[in-house]
Amino acid sequence: MDTGVIEMTRETSRAHVRPNPAGTLVLMGSGELSPSMVEVHKALVRQCGPKPSAFFIDTPAGFQLNVDDISRRAQQYFKTHVGHRLEVASLRSRQDMETVEGHRTLRALQSADYILMGPGSPTYAVRQWIDSPLPDIFRGCLQKGGVICAASAAALTVGWKTLPVYEIYKVGAELHWVDGIDLLGPWGARLVIVPHWNNAEGGTHDTRFCYMGEARFTALQNLLPDDVTVVGIDEHTALILDFAKDRASVRGVGTVMVQTPPEGLGRTPNRQIFSSGETFPLGLLWPRDADPAAAGAMPERPSATEMPSPEEGFAPSHAFHSGGTADFWDEIRSLETILERGLAERNPDDVARSLLDLDRLLWQALQHGAAPEDISQGREVLREWIVSAAQSAALSLQETRRVLSPLVDDVVALRERFRRERQWSQADALREVLAAHHVLVEDTPTGPRWRWATD
């Protein structure tokens, strides 16, 4: 099929453009399919209406041999944890968009209420998307009140410039930026999005700032114009830009760094850190002199006094020694079954075994020359499992306390009876027993009160 299909679809999406966005753009540092993001996805799906259509776009990982596994994981995650159906919009390359099936997929995306995209290569995705209908389709989704959720590699693509992570980190290319799809450019924003802001995979070397490390990222920032706003997003953390409410909020386990342009020549950029649960006006992300006509109804950037006081892999897949990529992900799926059984049955042996075996598998794959994106995505799976195990442990503790609380109530009441009867040795003995089991008792004029020592 010729490029006429592309042009027709692009024009169709532009026909639905409205002046001001009414939807939500979500940028995740990583962990889009982790337990830490379940409630975020649920809330976003709910705001899309009673029967929203949700799609996962596989383009960023379209060149990888495990792209089907990534898509299946996304679908299973939404089905199991979010409780909503997730369709796969398979557009692995620009050529796929020019087929009959690709044309149908693009049409379907024009009516999507929720679009999710994640791991892979940012530069590969940008090459497929720039000058295609997809950036306009994304904008159309935002303009009609839908949700665009971009994580990890996909989050890198939405800005004015995109960081070529693999090319610099693994191949040794000179420091440079490439064009992004500039999703918010038509509304006056000039953003650079950097996920994996707090990455620590390097161990003995600095891999913060999306694997660049401090020295290289500082040099990269010096290549950007002064009017660019840089947004750094920690792993397992989401920055939610709600255009209808004119508000940005942070969710997850980390923080978001917003570096805005300096106020005058010779001055340093302004950096602010926002923790999970904090919010700030969307105007912080827009330059003070943005053209209001271009920015629609977007607010101007506020002054400092108006601000609140806040305190993956990127390389082509290739088989590694014995088994290759397919066997690597088959083994991970087997271990995931053991983990899920362990969590469901409260079996710590199965949970520990799955975590340790996955760690061992990753080291073996690394030694045998596995593709960098397999190692990176495998490590992301390991981190997700660790979070799942921690949340399950927390839930187990809460369940245990809920069961034991009535018994503690009775023991505290018995101790109080001993005190009223002046049986001090028995009352003190019960207090010591309670303290040994992390229960603190406070005697007050209105009677005893108790709490768990770890609260």
Side-chain angles (χ1 to χ4, degrees), residues 60-317:
F63 63 99
Q64 297 178 199
L65 298 181
N66 67 329
V67 60
D68 288 333
D69 289 323
I70 294 172
S71 297
R72 278 193 293 268
R73 280 189 63 219
Q75 286 186 299
Q76 186 61 36
Y77 175 89
F78 258 65
K79 178 181 178 181
T80 303
H81 300 293
V82 183
H84 192 79
R85 181 180 178 84
L86 184 70
E87 302 285 350
V88 175
S90 188
L91 298 168
R92 299 182 184 180
S93 69
R94 182 63 180 271
Q95 288 70 35
D96 285 349
M97 299 182 207
E98 298 173 355
T99 65
V100 172
E101 185 58 35
H103 180 54
R104 292 196 190 100
T105 301
L106 292 169
R107 291 282 189 187
L109 285 173
Q110 288 174 8
S111 61
D113 301 298
Y114 194 100
I115 297 176
L116 172 65
M117 43 200 170
S121 163
T123 48
Y124 176 84
V126 171
R127 287 199 304 272
Q128 314 311 311
W129 288 346
I130 282 185
D131 296 326
S132 83
L134 280 169
D136 280 337
I137 288 176
F138 297 156
R139 294 184 190 108
C141 182
L142 291 177
Q143 288 161 341
K144 71 178 183 179
V147 173
I148 300 291
C149 183
S152 190
L156 278 160
T157 70
V158 305
W160 174 66
K161 291 292 182 181
T162 293
L163 181 63
V165 179
Y166 175 75
E167 291 86 340
I168 295 174
Y169 180 56
K170 288 294 186 181
V171 180
E174 294 294 323
L175 300 183
H176 67 288
W177 298 88
V178 300
D179 288 340
I181 64 171
D182 199 17
L183 185 61
L184 300 180
W187 293 293
R190 206 174 196 190
L191 303 178
V192 166
I193 310 300
V194 186
H196 299 283
W197 187 251
N198 64 337
N199 182 269
E201 290 183 29
T204 58
H205 65 281
D206 187 4
T207 52
R208 293 172 299 159
F209 317 127
C210 202
Y211 304 91
M212 294 297 99
E214 184 174 12
R216 274 192 300 199
F217 193 76
T218 298
L220 281 161
Q221 284 186 291
N222 291 335
L223 299 177
L224 294 170
D226 288 341
D227 62 348
V228 171
T229 294
V230 178
V231 179
I233 308 173
D234 283 353
E235 297 178 337
H236 292 272
T237 305
L239 174 61
I240 303 171
L241 308 183
D242 189 330
F243 295 100
K245 296 180 180 178
D246 180 26
R247 181 182 69 192
S249 58
V250 180
R251 296 291 182 271
V253 300
T255 63
V256 169
M257 186 285 303
V258 179
Q259 178 176 292
T260 54
E263 297 295 341
L265 292 176
R267 297 191 179 183
T268 58
N270 305 303
R271 273 197 175 192
Q272 298 190 64
I273 306 296
F274 299 92
S275 301
S276 181
E278 293 187 316
T279 64
F280 59 87
L282 280 185
L284 179 64
L285 304 177
W286 267 256
R288 185 183 298 277
D289 57 353
D291 179 5
M298 301 308 300
E300 292 185 0
R301 182 166 163 261
S303 65
T305 57
E306 294 174 311
M307 289 303 302
S309 177
E311 288 297 10
E312 304 317 2
F314 300 96
S317 284

Side-chain angles (χ1 to χ4, degrees), residues 30 196 199 201 211 235-236 312 358 376 378-388:
S30 77
H196 299 283
N199 182 269
E201 290 183 29
Y211 304 91
E235 297 178 337
H236 292 272
E312 304 317 2
L358 177 54
S376 180
R379 286 181 64 84
E380 182 65 29
V381 170
L382 177 59
R383 289 192 291 272
E384 292 172 7
W385 291 5
I386 292 172
V387 172
S388 295

Side-chain angles (χ1 to χ4, degrees), residues 332-397:
I332 287 180
R333 282 193 292 272
S334 297
L335 293 175
E336 188 171 28
T337 300
I338 297 172
L339 173 75
E340 291 174 346
R341 183 181 66 206
L343 294 175
E345 298 176 358
R346 297 288 192 268
N347 185 334
D349 291 337
D350 278 349
V351 174
R353 173 189 165 194
S354 61
L355 293 172
L356 293 173
D357 283 354
L358 177 54
D359 179 67
R360 188 179 302 112
L361 175 66
L362 291 172
W363 277 109
Q364 291 173 346
L366 180 64
Q367 293 168 353
H368 294 149
E373 84 279 355
D374 284 329
I375 299 297
S376 180
Q377 291 168 16
R379 286 181 64 84
E380 182 65 29
V381 170
L382 177 59
R383 289 192 291 272
E384 292 172 7
W385 291 5
I386 292 172
V387 172
S388 295
Q391 291 183 337
S392 177
L395 182 60
S396 296
L397 178 59

